Amino acid sequence: MKYYVDAKVGQTGDGCQEKPFKTIGEAAALAVAGDEVIVAPGLYREWVNPVNGGTEDKRIVYKSEVPLGAHITGAEKLGDWTVYGGAGSKVYTARVSNKIFGDYNPYTSPVCGDWFIPSAAAHTGDVFLNGKSMYEVGSVAEVEAGEVSVPSWDHEFSTYKWHAEQDEATDETVFYANFQGKDPNNEDVEITVRQACFYPKEEGRGYITLSGFKVSKAATQWAPPTAYQEGMIGPHWSKGWIIEDCEVFEAKCSGISLGKYLQPQNDNKWLKWKYKDGAQTERDCICQAQREGWSKATIGSHIIRRCNIHDCGQTGIVGHLGGVFSLVEDCHIHHINNKQNLAGCEIGGIKMHAAIDCIYRRNVIHDCTRGMWLDWQAQGTRVTQNLFYNNTIPKEYNQNPESMVGCAEDLFIEVSHGPTLVDNNIFLSDRALKLATQGVALVHNIIYGGICAVGLGTNNGAPTKPSPRYTPYHVPHQTEIAGFMTILHGDNKIYNNIFVQQPLRPALKQGMEHNLANKNDWDDGNILAGTFVYEKFPTFDVWNKQFEGYCGQGAPTTDKYYAELPVWAGGNLYLNGARPMSKEKEPDALVVEGGETVTFAVEEDGINSRLKTNLYDVIATAGVEPACKLLHTDDIMMAFEPEQKYENPDGSPITFDTDYFGKKRGEKVLPGPFVDGTR
């Protein structure tokens, strides 16, 4: 059955084409497996709660009749602003009855949760001027001052401040806002009033498609892996959703959540109970989920494709446990956490825990304070054919102590055992990869930046006690836990990549030198390109010799079961002074010295990003021949701890014969993500 919705009708109908419903929620209360909800262009101020789910062969489809014509928003207009203060004041005030919020007032609900750093005033609500969120401060005086927020990526707009207070006598929320000379009564001013926009209130509403909508401005809460993870859009612990061709923007915290369900006795337990460390409560969450039905049969297998996700405070896409076996492809994810008003360890264009058998391909991720962060249980995960650039802090204009400590990168893989396959990508940020992990294969990438935190970042930071983080690994291609282990480091395979050193930004060079001098156990801040960061790791032959002779009970005590694992490398090209590790010799490594400097630039037209480089001119001038080996799954040593190969989610082998653009490689193979220098 088809239901029709049109916000512009004067009176709601019965959902037929001639008498459409006025709200999407009316259709969502009725739609069942096999139904389609067609939504006319217009603005829909509602939280759509799909009451029912579909089935694998009979989905429920919600479709915008005109691509991006239907706009679901969690915001309401706020008018009747009056000048606050004396003549010439830039500050206005307005009131709203708290009845508009129902049982959840975003302006009395602070952003909070495990791994959140409350460094500035932050409630889940926001004030928007002409569609753009203003900057919350903690007092009316700060609103009046209207000072630049130094960490922000947008200094000019960061002077647009707001603050909210409660008038208990009238049960109203009172807003104060600095509009910098604009009259808000002549502008589009909105406030967030709803926690979500398209999100089932109950678990298990699977096999739903959301296609072609704009979705914006929800009062989402901080979404760490140890909590119920809210999103402006999300399947809420179910299976088989498709979110496609949508524009998703201005969520307070997370735009799309493929996240964890509510565990009432283990929700933000680190923050609330305090006696167990966050890593321990996360392990508890994972084991509890497995006991309570987390499996491939019931959870995950979602698809997010061709979405434009931007200007969210914490993440564009977030998830833990609920995003297993999922695909994210052809998305444009950008300008995440640029306000820098939210701080903590759960921020990124994509921040995913337990990305088991997930594929992230052909995405463009840029201008985020961290591009993609795969944290814990990145097993069977593949990151392929993506373009990453300008994912970094601080900028030259917004350097500050907080951002200097937490410098970011294109791709961060943390405390996982693998196998995590990273192939045919372009990494252009100063810190290309942060690999505080093991079991990663880097194959056919351009890496125009440093690999940082090698051998670091896997302890919990106790100053005088051992505090290694031990994390789970799983039965291959399943959610069942096979075991737990600390990170030994190494077990990485680095083949057929192009490493290029880019000019060193002074602020990041200073941060690197500071971290090295102070022996920072979390991050060395490295921005120097090449595999030299693996210099101390053994080859397989050296590592293997430790195990010659008798092993087992009665054998001499040994460190060999806790020593660094080997690292493999071959077929890599080094340019602009990028350096190989000494164990990687020609012809396994080709170092081009002197000659023209390789440069990269990304040209944007508002929709597409185009890479401009002289790389292949330099390669031709240097006489680099296509002499790399065409690689297959069986050419790459399996990930050590789970004993799993670098293979497809269905267990079939991979031949690395397809480049960034989908062109086929022949038997003569160049390093890097392109068959040659042409499209």
Side-chain angles (χ1 to χ4, degrees):
M1 184 170 182
K2 290 187 178 181
Y3 294 102
Y4 293 85
V5 182
D6 189 343
K8 294 187 287 295
V9 297
Q11 184 175 356
T12 193
D14 59 10
C16 69
Q17 191 167 11
E18 294 76 20
K19 297 180 179 179
F21 291 129
K22 192 173 180 65
T23 67
I24 305 170
E26 292 172 277
L30 299 175
V32 295
D35 288 348
E36 184 175 11
V37 178
I38 300 172
V39 184
L43 189 61
Y44 297 84
R45 299 186 185 274
E46 54 181 306
W47 176 347
V48 179
N49 169 32
V51 173
N52 302 302
T55 63
E56 187 171 6
D57 58 347
K58 291 184 178 181
R59 311 181 63 81
I60 301 177
V61 176
Y62 294 80
K63 183 177 181 180
S64 176
E65 185 179 39
V66 175
L68 302 182
H71 183 177
I72 307 171
T73 180
E76 295 286 345
K77 292 184 71 68
L78 181 60
D80 297 324
W81 292 87
T82 59
V83 175
Y84 177 83
S89 173
K90 298 178 180 178
V91 178
Y92 286 73
T93 185
R95 292 171 170 261
V96 64
S97 169
N98 287 336
K99 292 179 181 178
I100 194 175
F101 303 121
D103 58 1
Y104 180 82
N105 185 337
Y107 304 94
T108 60
S109 302
V111 176
C112 63
D114 290 350
W115 290 282
F116 176 70
I117 300 173
S119 57
H123 289 83
T124 59
D126 250 325
V127 177
F128 302 90
L129 174 63
N130 299 325
K132 190 172 182 177
S133 61
M134 298 169 66
Y135 286 65
E136 183 181 4
V137 290
S139 67
V140 177
E142 292 173 88
V143 174
E144 292 179 303
E147 295 179 348
V148 166
S149 173
V150 174
S152 170
W153 288 33
D154 185 351
H155 277 184
E156 182 180 359
F157 196 75
S158 75
T159 61
Y160 289 76
K161 310 288 191 182
W162 68 270
H163 173 69
E165 296 178 349
Q166 294 300 305
D167 187 335
E168 295 182 1
T170 61
D171 192 27
E172 292 178 312
T173 298
V174 185
F175 293 91
Y176 304 87
N178 189 330
F179 294 102
Q180 295 297 337
K182 293 182 172 66
D183 182 347
N185 295 304
N186 296 327
E187 308 290 336
D188 182 13
V189 180
E190 297 174 296
I191 58 170
T192 326
V193 301
R194 287 173 282 275
Q195 287 176 267
C197 291
F198 192 94
Y199 193 96
K201 294 185 178 181
E202 303 295 330
E203 299 171 14
R205 275 47 178 177
Y207 298 105
I208 288 174
T209 296
L210 183 72
S211 182
F213 288 83
K214 283 188 180 181
V215 185
S216 73
K217 307 184 185 79
T220 52
Q221 181 58 277
W222 185 254
T226 50
Y228 168 50
Q229 291 184 305
E230 300 178 13
M232 190 157 61
I233 304 170
H236 192 181
W237 203 245
S238 66
K239 185 175 180 179
W241 274 44
I242 297 174
I243 303 167
E244 62 184 11
D245 301 307
C246 292
E247 183 180 5
V248 180
F249 59 101
E250 286 288 6
K252 181 68 179 205
C253 290
S254 295
I256 298 174
S257 172
L258 305 181
K260 193 175 75 62
Y261 67 111
L262 177 63
Q263 297 174 336
Q265 304 306 314
N266 198 14
D267 190 65
N268 283 315
K269 191 172 183 177
W270 185 24
L271 178 69
K272 295 174 182 177
W273 198 53
K274 304 182 186 301
Y275 299 114
K276 283 186 178 180
D277 183 83
Q280 180 63 20
T281 62
E282 186 169 342
R283 285 186 286 266
D284 290 349
C285 285
I286 296 164
C287 292
Q288 178 179 342
Q290 183 166 302
R291 293 194 305 273
E292 294 178 346
W294 176 49
S295 75
K296 188 173 185 177
T298 57
I299 301 299
S301 298
H302 306 298
I303 297 173
I304 303 173
R305 59 192 177 201
R306 300 186 301 273
C307 289
N308 179 11
I309 306 168
H310 60 94
D311 291 289
C312 299
Q314 177 193 340
T315 66
I317 303 172
V318 75
H320 182 211
L321 306 177
V324 291
F325 314 111
S326 293
L327 170 66
V328 179
E329 64 179 358
D330 299 308
C331 290
H332 184 194
I333 303 172
H334 56 105
H335 296 93
I336 303 297
N337 191 235
N338 285 186
K339 291 172 70 175
Q340 290 278 285
N341 60 323
L342 303 181
C345 296
E346 303 301 327
I347 287 170
I350 297 175
K351 176 63 196 289
M352 191 65 62
H353 286 75
I356 298 171
D357 279 358
C358 290
I359 298 175
Y360 305 93
R361 69 184 176 205
R362 297 192 304 270
N363 302 291
V364 178
I365 303 177
H366 66 94
D367 287 282
C368 304
T369 54
R370 175 164 280 128
M372 180 187 295
W373 188 350
L374 303 177
D375 198 353
W376 291 50
Q377 304 149 274
Q379 182 171 332
T381 312
R382 188 176 186 184
V383 180
T384 183
Q385 298 170 299
N386 302 283
L387 171 62
F388 296 85
Y389 65 96
N390 203 28
N391 298 303
T392 183
I393 53 175
K395 301 292 186 180
E396 277 57 37
Y397 58 79
N398 75 340
Q399 293 167 19
N400 62 95
E402 289 76 20
S403 62
M404 286 299 294
V405 170
C407 292
E409 54 287 316
D410 286 330
L411 174 61
F412 182 11
I413 306 173
E414 186 176 12
V415 290
S416 296
H417 299 281
T420 309
L421 174 59
V422 180
D423 69 287
N424 290 293
N425 301 283
I426 304 169
F427 298 106
L428 299 182
S429 298
D430 306 81
R431 291 155 50 98
L433 301 166
K434 186 174 183 179
L435 300 180
T437 192
Q438 66 187 50
V440 176
L442 302 176
V443 182
H444 279 294
N445 302 286
I446 288 175
I447 303 173
Y448 185 50
I451 302 176
C452 59
V454 169
L456 301 171
T458 61
N459 295 321
N460 253 341
T464 63
K465 300 288 186 181
S467 58
R469 281 189 287 173
Y470 54 95
T471 59
Y473 53 96
H474 299 261
V475 176
H477 312 300
Q478 298 181 44
T479 58
E480 283 75 10
I481 296 170
F484 289 83
M485 185 56 184
T486 57
I487 302 300
L488 300 178
H489 299 284
D491 192 31
N492 293 334
K493 300 88 183 176
I494 309 170
Y495 296 118
N496 297 359
N497 302 283
I498 300 176
F499 292 91
V500 186
Q501 180 64 59
Q502 63 177 282
L504 303 184
R505 287 173 52 200
L508 298 181
K509 183 173 182 290
Q510 180 182 357
M512 177 178 65
E513 293 168 347
H514 177 271
N515 284 1
L516 290 172
N518 289 275
K519 297 182 179 179
N520 188 318
D521 189 46
W522 289 101
D523 192 340
D524 56 8
N526 179 58
I527 54 173
L528 303 177
T531 56
F532 74 94
V533 291
Y534 289 100
E535 187 64 38
K536 72 175 184 178
F537 290 81
T539 63
F540 175 79
D541 290 339
V542 170
W543 177 77
N544 186 48
K545 285 182 180 179
Q546 300 176 90
F547 298 91
E548 294 177 353
Y550 177 70
C551 291
Q553 188 68 30
T557 57
T558 176
D559 289 333
K560 62 189 175 187
Y561 296 110
Y562 303 96
E564 288 96 347
L565 297 167
V567 171
W568 293 256
N572 299 301
L573 174 63
Y574 298 84
L575 299 160
N576 286 13
R579 293 181 288 148
M581 58 182 178
S582 61
K583 294 181 284 293
E584 187 185 5
K585 303 290 186 182
E586 292 191 50
D588 294 323
L590 179 59
V591 180
V592 175
E593 297 179 347
E596 186 178 358
T597 299
V598 175
T599 60
F600 295 94
V602 177
E603 298 176 342
E604 302 172 349
D605 62 9
I607 300 175
N608 299 307
S609 300
R610 183 179 179 85
L611 180 65
K612 185 177 181 180
T613 181
N614 64 343
L615 171 64
Y616 286 88
D617 294 333
V618 173
I619 286 176
T621 301
V624 177
E625 296 293 333
C628 295
K629 180 180 179 180
L630 181 63
L631 293 170
H632 309 266
T633 287
D634 286 343
D635 296 317
I636 304 173
M637 180 65 75
M638 67 182 179
F640 173 76
E641 209 65 64
E643 302 175 29
Q644 180 178 340
K645 294 181 178 182
Y646 294 84
E647 59 193 10
N648 288 308
D650 63 2
S652 62
I654 298 171
T655 297
F656 295 90
D657 62 352
T658 304
D659 79 349
Y660 179 91
F661 289 120
K663 294 175 67 174
K664 290 294 184 179
R665 295 184 172 97
E667 289 300 319
K668 294 183 177 180
V669 177
L670 273 173
F674 304 119
V675 168
D676 51 38
T678 64
R679 173 128 189 209

